[in-house]
Amino acid sequence: TSNVARFVDALIDGDVLKASDIYKNLSGIYPIYITRDLTHAKKWVHEQTKGKKLRHGLIASSNGRRLRADGIWIESKCKPEKWFLGERDDIRSSYFMEEAASEFEIQGLEIDYAVVGWDADYRYVDGKFEYFKPSGSRWLSINQEDKKRYLKNAYRVLLTRAREGFVIFVPRGDNSDATRQYKFYDDLWQYLINIGIEEL
């Protein structure tokens, strides 16, 4: 719906008040949740489509390479035709949620319910979003405006692919790993909580 698109725009713009207002209006109509437990997220979307002709799947940013530590290996490319069209018993299909589709595979297409993995590439820092790309064993700041717009749009695409509802998975992080510091994810989590998004 247009309200979902407006909510996503406010969310990725960092507009807490606007996102919060729109989210309240979506309550009971279009479910949006957050969680730090990927297994829980997968179980929820599976339950929404069980016994129905509805499709669910796992999606994440093509830059979200540190989600791999939590079981979302975005660098392992899915085959879009199998992912989108495979039946429930096809391990390559979106239903298994073993392969994630990035903004490249899913742009212009939709599924019914989605788990959206949110990595530290689009990071909430001191009240605003900052932009990063993975490089070896560290994150590099993105400073070029066109690349910033591209990354922001990648999250807009990911957060608007589900027709019926979605859950955002935010990793807990690991302070023993310089690429997965708690603060990279905790600040985003708090931002989503401040908007009022319900925890699954």
Side-chain angles (χ1 to χ4, degrees):
T1 68
S2 60
N3 273 349
V4 175
R6 286 175 56 242
F7 167 74
V8 169
D9 282 343
L11 175 70
I12 62 176
D13 282 344
D15 191 333
V16 175
L17 293 177
K18 187 174 180 183
S20 180
D21 281 345
I22 300 169
Y23 181 77
K24 287 172 192 165
N25 290 328
L26 289 170
S27 183
I29 302 167
Y30 182 97
I32 300 170
Y33 294 104
I34 53 174
T35 187
R36 305 196 86 165
D37 183 333
L38 183 58
T39 301
H40 200 37
K42 288 180 176 182
K43 184 180 177 188
W44 180 78
V45 296
H46 181 74
E47 285 171 352
Q48 306 315 303
T49 66
K50 197 172 182 180
K52 302 171 187 169
K53 287 190 174 180
L54 297 174
R55 182 170 289 273
H56 62 256
L58 178 62
I59 57 180
S61 161
S62 59
N63 273 329
R65 294 185 196 164
R66 295 311 296 134
L67 293 171
R68 186 171 69 177
D70 290 284
I72 303 175
W73 192 4
I74 199 66
E75 290 166 289
S76 178
K77 300 294 183 190
C78 73
K79 291 185 171 66
E81 67 280 8
K82 302 295 183 187
W83 198 88
F84 282 104
L85 302 174
E87 299 296 335
R88 285 180 183 268
D89 60 352
D90 187 337
I91 62 169
R92 298 162 298 180
S93 76
S94 67
Y95 291 114
F96 269 73
M97 290 184 283
E98 291 180 6
E99 295 181 348
S102 75
E103 70 275 14
F104 294 118
E105 287 85 38
I106 204 163
Q107 187 155 17
L109 299 166
E110 290 181 323
I111 54 178
D112 296 296
Y113 288 90
V115 175
V116 184
W118 196 317
D119 204 2
D121 53 336
Y122 197 54
R123 196 181 305 171
Y124 196 72
V125 183
D126 296 329
K128 61 183 173 58
F129 281 104
E130 294 189 355
Y131 307 74
F132 295 85
K133 64 180 178 181
S135 177
S137 54
R138 60 195 178 119
W139 292 101
L140 298 178
S141 290
I142 295 174
N143 298 311
Q144 291 171 270
E145 289 304 318
D146 59 333
K147 290 183 178 176
K148 284 183 178 181
R149 277 195 301 273
Y150 182 86
L151 179 57
K152 185 177 184 178
N153 193 55
Y155 273 88
R156 179 181 287 107
V157 167
L158 294 169
L159 293 164
T160 54
R161 292 308 92 190
R163 295 185 195 96
E164 304 291 337
F166 63 89
V167 54
I168 297 170
F169 164 66
V170 179
R172 294 188 181 279
D174 179 355
N175 271 354
S176 69
D177 179 345
T179 65
R180 299 173 61 235
Q181 297 287 292
Y182 293 150
K183 64 183 178 182
F184 297 168
Y185 304 103
D186 287 351
D187 289 356
L188 170 65
W189 180 258
Q190 192 56 52
Y191 167 67
L192 299 174
I193 290 285
N194 289 346
I195 287 171
I197 304 176
E198 195 175 338
E199 191 174 348
L200 196 60

